[in-house]
Amino acid sequence: MELKEGFISARVERPVSLHTTFTPKFLGLQQNVGGWKSSHYGEGVIIGLIDTGIKHDHPSFFDKGMPPPPAKWRGRCDFNGKRTCNNKLVGARNFIWDGDAPGGTDLPWEEAYHGSHTSGIAAGCPVEGANVFGQANGTATGIAPRAHVAMYKACAVSCYDGDLLAAIDAAIDDGVDLLSISIGPESPFPFYYDVIALGAFRAIQKGIFVSCSAGNDGPYPSTVTNDAPWILTVGASTIDREIRATVKLGNNVELHGQSLFQPKDFHPRQPLPIVHPAAISNNESAAVCEKGSLKNIDVKGKIVICHMGQLRIEDKGKEVKDNGGAAMIVFNEQDDGYTTLATANVLPASHISYKDGLVLKNYLISTQSPTATISFQGTLIGKSQPAPQMASFSSRGPSTQSPGILKPDIVGPGLNILSAWGVSIDEATNPFNVISGTSMSCPHLSGVAALIKSAHPDWSPAAIKSAILTTAYTADLNGNPISTEQNVSATVFDRGSGHVHTLRALNPGLVYDIEPDDYIPYLCGLGYSEQQVRYIVQRKVNCSTPTLIPGAQLNYPTFSMVLGAGDQMTYTRTVTNVGRPFSTYISKVLSPQGVAVKVMPSVIRFKDLNDKASYTVTFTRLENVTRSSIIGQGSLVWNSIGDDGYKVVSTIAVVFV
């Protein structure tokens, strides 16, 4: 093939992984006011989702009151029959053969239901009375409820990168405005070998914004994927809603956990005995309650304790129930900390934190006859751990492929999110489900990007990303720094620029813009060959030395660098005024510990909208300064003078070597 005219590259096909009623309110969106009103609810924007297909007849995708898609739309609907696609679901295409779909079909049906869930989060229309088992009840709506949805099915239960790239190319040709991709490689790859990075670059060359999930391999460092700088890389955080299931031990200590299934008929007359398979069997499978592991353990009529491990909580519950267990308590391993899941269990259950798991284990060794009960308090707002808080599974930086770019970029709601589902799990007429992952946080940010695109249709993908990053917030609802799943302050490599602030992102004041060709010297600076850069940009390039730039020199809204002893680095940034004419901004620096930061000039002025101004920042590692960490973090803020109150924040990340 290499000898054929027009050949670019070939590679072995690799697998890739699949990585709401309350979250719009949590993001500050309210009907007929504020961000929704100023952005027209995302009207006129087409969001293309690369996913597992869609349940086209779900009410989240009805089109009552929706206008037709823009005239530029060239997509098609591959479902059979009439009235399958409409003015909400404007396109649906399939790029795989799904033998598990109804009848075994090449139509864009889905079996995994992941795609319906992500589509509903991004742009589902309002559905009243949405709930699961009566919990999280309310009106389910997407973040951009008047945006159009186009589904490109590239995955079923498994995904392969050839299908993925074909789907991305089709979406670009069809005329989407944004791409939302809650899928990622199993580990980071160089950008020239990563089909999502390749497809996303083709998209931004056409002015299409791309949002991707950061991955679910946290809380371990350097696990972030989808980390190309032309992609918005989204981590997952919590919301201040929990679906509480409280464990009351025989010594009257209460441990608050979560469960989506909240039975109304679980009222044992007396506390039930507890059995802990891990204390009986040396078999690890029994500790996590794997299928078949409890058949030789007496669990009948008892509350069974299961370690979290890697097995789905629902599967643990099935094993407990199949062996006669009355209820289940799942407790976290240390790495998962305070992140607890509200799952659709098949029996009374509660998922508790690692800290509460230690309390439980201490109780077990304090008595020969441990007992407990589980009570169910339903959906509670404002009673949970500090929110937003990082979800334990959210993949972390720094980026292994490009340390000069801070990744993840941003975090958004990704834990216990309600959205559309393909089948009813509680015999409801309109099926919904509550699930978790960076797959859920990604479409939240895709929806926010759609609102910005609707309000500012001429903004580039880089300008939209800049607006999101420079207006993020870094404190939880209690005013404390956003924390990790361990209840300690998150670093910039955990949460990126912070949590998305939708209203501020719609009016950021200044933006850092990047043209597609600006990435070429950056890619050359990564040490890629001219041929490898050509794979990405799809044309010949010249990587001669004068054109190379380090990653931190890219006109990115954040700063990320590695500093050795005595190092001094200077970078240039250019900002564009999108706020008000005749505006002045003054810089303010919060320097990372052990680093001196100097900004020149410290004041920038603009006469007109779209005027540009450049500045330099010099970072100097200080000698003989005792640091508490190998990571340094800070910020550079441009504050506007006057009543407009613009605050444009660039996060600073440093790794000391």
Side-chain angles (χ1 to χ4, degrees), residues 389-405:
Q389 181 180 76
M390 292 301 302
S392 63
F393 52 78
S394 186
S395 290
R396 313 298 162 94
S399 166
T400 60
Q401 301 304 309
S402 183
I405 301 295

Side-chain angles (χ1 to χ4, degrees), residues 407-640:
K407 293 287 180 170
D409 287 304
I410 196 80
V411 297
L415 185 72
N416 299 328
I417 305 301
L418 181 142
S419 188
W421 203 242
V423 294
S424 175
I425 61 174
D426 60 353
E427 300 182 356
T429 302
N430 297 325
F432 289 88
N433 199 3
V434 172
I435 59 175
S436 301
T438 56
S439 282
M440 285 63 256
S441 55
C442 169
H444 277 94
L445 270 294
S446 302
V448 171
L451 298 180
I452 298 172
K453 183 71 174 178
S454 182
H456 306 283
D458 58 336
W459 281 13
S460 70
I464 294 173
K465 179 196 282 191
S466 174
I468 292 171
L469 269 56
T470 60
T471 58
Y473 62 90
T474 58
D476 63 28
L477 297 180
N478 295 325
N480 300 314
I482 291 174
S483 58
T484 71
E485 69 290 333
Q486 304 296 335
N487 253 359
V488 298
S489 294
T491 74
V492 290
F493 295 116
D494 298 319
R495 46 87 172 161
S497 291
H499 190 282
V500 61
H501 191 303
T502 309
L503 188 59
R504 288 186 58 204
L506 285 161
N507 187 18
L510 305 175
V511 294
Y512 295 80
D513 210 353
I514 306 174
E515 294 296 326
D517 281 354
D518 295 341
Y519 292 103
I520 294 174
Y522 155 79
L523 292 168
C524 294
L526 290 177
Y528 292 173
S529 69
E530 291 181 354
Q531 181 67 18
Q532 290 166 341
V533 177
R534 182 186 174 192
Y535 293 162
I536 299 170
V537 304
Q538 296 291 293
R539 65 177 178 82
K540 290 183 178 181
V541 299
N542 180 5
C543 281
S544 59
T545 302
T547 65
L548 305 184
I549 63 169
Q553 183 65 29
L554 192 66
N555 199 43
Y556 212 69
T558 58
F559 295 89
S560 180
M561 68 207 75
V562 177
L563 289 179
D567 279 353
Q568 183 179 85
M569 298 182 178
T570 299
Y571 303 113
T572 302
R573 292 290 190 270
T574 300
V575 288
T576 303
N577 179 29
V578 295
R580 294 185 180 180
F582 300 103
S583 55
T584 300
Y585 289 79
I586 299 177
S587 65
K588 179 180 179 181
V589 175
L590 176 62
S591 297
Q593 186 180 32
V595 179
V597 181
K598 183 177 182 180
V599 181
M600 290 294 293
S602 60
V603 178
I604 52 177
R605 295 178 174 85
F606 302 91
K607 180 180 179 182
D608 295 314
L609 287 176
N610 298 314
D611 279 357
K612 298 180 183 295
S614 295
Y615 65 91
T616 62
V617 190
T618 300
F619 300 90
T620 305
R621 179 168 171 174
L622 301 176
E623 298 180 2
N624 302 319
V625 175
T626 301
R627 299 183 312 277
S628 58
S629 172
I630 63 169
I631 294 173
Q633 52 193 31
S635 60
L636 164 59
V637 184
W638 289 102
N639 292 299
S640 65

Side-chain angles (χ1 to χ4, degrees), residues 250-332:
N251 60 2
N252 291 322
V253 171
E254 292 187 344
L255 309 174
H256 297 310
Q258 296 203 68
S259 174
L260 184 59
F261 176 55
Q262 302 250 320
K264 294 181 173 59
D265 56 353
F266 184 70
H267 302 292
R269 294 183 178 179
Q270 57 188 12
L272 298 174
I274 297 175
V275 60
H276 187 194
I280 299 172
S281 171
N282 291 325
N283 191 335
E284 177 64 23
S285 64
V288 298
C289 302
E290 286 184 3
K291 183 177 181 180
S293 67
L294 303 181
K295 61 183 179 181
N296 295 321
I297 299 175
D298 181 16
V299 302
K300 190 172 183 179
K302 301 176 182 179
I303 297 179
V304 182
I305 298 175
C306 303
H307 298 201
M308 183 61 183
Q310 300 299 315
L311 186 68
R312 293 172 67 246
I313 293 177
E314 297 93 327
D315 294 332
K316 301 175 192 290
K318 189 174 187 303
E319 174 66 10
V320 171
K321 184 176 182 180
D322 288 348
N323 286 276
M328 175 179 69
I329 301 170
V330 177
F331 70 83
N332 276 344

Side-chain angles (χ1 to χ4, degrees), residues 52-327:
T52 62
I54 194 166
K55 181 176 171 60
H56 65 83
D57 56 351
H58 192 283
S60 290
F61 312 119
F62 290 173
D63 66 345
K64 182 179 180 181
M66 283 288 298
K72 67 167 186 172
W73 177 240
R74 299 180 296 274
R76 68 173 194 252
C77 183
D78 286 346
F79 284 116
N80 290 328
K82 298 178 179 179
R83 297 197 59 77
T84 49
C85 292
N86 53 34
N87 286 336
K88 165 58 74 173
L89 179 62
V90 296
R93 299 177 62 177
N94 178 53
F95 294 86
I96 62 170
W97 169 265
D98 185 0
D100 293 319
T105 178
D106 58 357
L107 301 180
W109 298 99
E110 68 168 341
E111 188 228 356
Y113 310 126
H114 187 271
S116 294
H117 202 274
T118 57
S119 300
I121 293 170
C125 64
V127 181
E128 295 180 356
N131 66 83
V132 187
F133 298 117
Q135 302 306 313
N137 186 59
T139 299
T141 184
I143 303 304
R146 288 186 67 80
H148 306 282
V149 171
M151 172 56 64
Y152 297 84
K153 180 178 178 179
C155 300
V157 177
S158 58
C159 315
Y160 291 92
D161 54 10
D163 302 326
L164 196 59
L165 190 56
I168 294 172
D169 283 346
I172 294 169
D173 290 341
D174 286 347
V176 301
D177 296 297
L178 291 87
L179 279 171
S180 184
I181 306 176
S182 291
I183 302 166
E186 295 180 346
S187 60
F189 288 102
F191 303 144
Y192 59 82
Y193 204 64
D194 181 341
V195 296
I196 294 179
L198 294 172
F201 195 87
R202 298 178 195 177
I204 65 110
Q205 286 177 310
K206 299 291 187 180
I208 299 168
F209 180 89
V210 183
S211 174
C212 292
S213 50
N216 297 328
D217 293 320
Y220 311 110
S222 294
T223 50
V224 64
T225 59
N226 292 326
D227 52 345
W230 49 88
I231 292 172
L232 181 74
T233 309
V234 186
S237 55
T238 66
I239 56 177
D240 64 337
R241 177 184 69 192
E242 64 176 311
I243 304 174
R244 183 173 287 180
T246 298
V247 176
K248 186 174 183 180
L249 303 178
N251 60 2
N252 291 322
V253 171
E254 292 187 344
L255 309 174
H256 297 310
Q258 296 203 68
S259 174
L260 184 59
F261 176 55
Q262 302 250 320
K264 294 181 173 59
D265 56 353
F266 184 70
H267 302 292
R269 294 183 178 179
Q270 57 188 12
L272 298 174
I274 297 175
V275 60
H276 187 194
I280 299 172
S281 171
N282 291 325
N283 191 335
E284 177 64 23
S285 64
V288 298
C289 302
E290 286 184 3
K291 183 177 181 180
S293 67
L294 303 181
K295 61 183 179 181
N296 295 321
I297 299 175
D298 181 16
V299 302
K300 190 172 183 179
K302 301 176 182 179
I303 297 179
V304 182
I305 298 175
C306 303
H307 298 201
M308 183 61 183
Q310 300 299 315
L311 186 68
R312 293 172 67 246
I313 293 177
E314 297 93 327
D315 294 332
K316 301 175 192 290
K318 189 174 187 303
E319 174 66 10
V320 171
K321 184 176 182 180
D322 288 348
N323 286 276

